[in-house]
Amino acid sequence: MSQAAEPTVDLEHSVGYALKVAATALRTAMDAELRPLGLSVPQYSCLEVLGQRPGLSNAELARATFVTRQAMNGVLRGLEDRGLVTRPVDATRGRVMPTRLTEDGRRLLRAAGTRVREVEGRMLADLSPDARERLHDELGICTA
């Protein structure tokens, strides 16, 4: 009979573990809301970033959405095949191919964004407006 190892982290009080649990809950809820629209979370993230910052390159999009450049290639290919984004046939500078949303992409982004805001709203529903702002600010401090 093997004996359990001594814990190295008190999971009940670990901020890192709590952040991971919250991030997983958010991702699971977003997946469920985006699936009927035919979107994955990385695809939605890509549309959202392009909606706010049109013309980004593959590498810039990958950094902004926390995926590898190789994964972003697949995300963009899928979005392009569905007519949601457009990229030039030839690179405009070096190997950079700036990406933009199509009208269909903007329309789907509006629908997806509404669903994602609803998920976030449910997640934060029991927090006061002051607590929400404080949480946002404190997470920013942790990130810095």
Side-chain angles (χ1 to χ4, degrees), residues 92-114:
T92 55
R93 53 185 156 90
R95 293 173 31 185
V96 175
M97 296 177 60
T99 307
R100 300 193 184 284
L101 294 178
T102 63
E103 188 53 45
D104 285 345
R106 283 188 284 282
R107 199 172 8 265
L108 185 58
L109 173 57
R110 283 191 294 275
T114 297

Side-chain angles (χ1 to χ4, degrees), residues 9-32:
V9 174
D10 178 3
L11 294 180
E12 301 249 343
H13 298 98
S14 169
V15 172
Y17 188 73
L19 284 170
K20 183 62 177 174
V21 170
T24 300
L26 177 62
R27 174 74 183 247
T28 300
M30 286 175 64
D31 280 334

Side-chain angles (χ1 to χ4, degrees), residues 79-136:
L79 294 173
E80 197 171 20
D81 289 349
R82 290 178 60 188
L84 302 173
V85 300
T86 183
R87 296 188 288 174
V89 174
D90 295 314
T92 55
R93 53 185 156 90
R95 293 173 31 185
V96 175
M97 296 177 60
T99 307
R100 300 193 184 284
L101 294 178
T102 63
E103 188 53 45
D104 285 345
R106 283 188 284 282
R107 199 172 8 265
L108 185 58
L109 173 57
R110 283 191 294 275
T114 297
R115 289 173 178 235
V116 168
R117 281 189 305 280
E118 289 170 359
V119 166
E120 187 172 312
R122 288 191 306 268
M123 185 176 224
L124 300 173
D126 292 336
L127 297 177
S128 70
D130 284 345
R132 290 178 188 198
E133 188 172 336
R134 196 168 49 252
L135 174 62
H136 181 272

